[in-house]
Amino acid sequence: MLASVPGDIFAIVAAVAIGLIGLAGSYALFKAAMVLDSSRVLLDGVTKESVPLLSEVTTTVKNVNRELDRTDTILESAGNMAKSAERLTAVVEQTVSSPLIKIISFGAGAGSAFKRFFGGD
């Protein structure tokens, strides 16, 4: 027997609409679950790749820091050597320049005296 009352027809239409809405909701939920699953797979892949990479980066940074410490030591040693060379140059300059000036002065004076003594200009 077909429904002849408008209320029955409305109830059937409402039930079909609710069923379609439920079906559409189920489809959306299924698609969301698929997206979440592929996101999980992607994150697992990123984790598997990034953990070893981070380990390698940590090792590289430690090696670079060690080399920088060595470079600092080398630069400090070079600076100390430059300071020592500068002090040595100053000592040699003071040691040599004073007698050299005296010798040159004595030579100039002796030359002048020699010229005067022997009648030169």
Side-chain angles (χ1 to χ4, degrees), residues 91-109:
V91 168
V92 168
E93 181 182 354
Q94 289 174 353
T95 304
V96 172
S97 66
S98 179
L100 191 59
I101 290 172
K102 289 178 183 176
I103 290 171
I104 292 172
S105 298
F106 178 77

Side-chain angles (χ1 to χ4, degrees), residues 41-115:
V41 169
L42 177 67
L43 285 175
D44 287 345
V46 167
T47 302
K48 286 179 184 176
E49 294 294 324
S50 64
V51 168
L53 182 64
L54 287 175
S55 175
E56 289 178 21
V57 167
T58 302
T59 303
T60 302
V61 168
K62 285 180 183 178
N63 290 338
V64 167
N65 283 337
R66 189 176 325 122
E67 292 300 321
L68 285 175
D69 288 341
R70 288 180 186 168
T71 304
D72 286 343
T73 304
I74 291 170
L75 287 176
E76 186 177 333
S77 296
N80 290 339
M81 288 172 33
K83 287 178 185 176
S84 296
E86 183 180 340
R87 285 189 295 242
L88 181 62
T89 303
V91 168
V92 168
E93 181 182 354
Q94 289 174 353
T95 304
V96 172
S97 66
S98 179
L100 191 59
I101 290 172
K102 289 178 183 176
I103 290 171
I104 292 172
S105 298
F106 178 77
S112 295
F114 187 72
K115 285 182 186 179

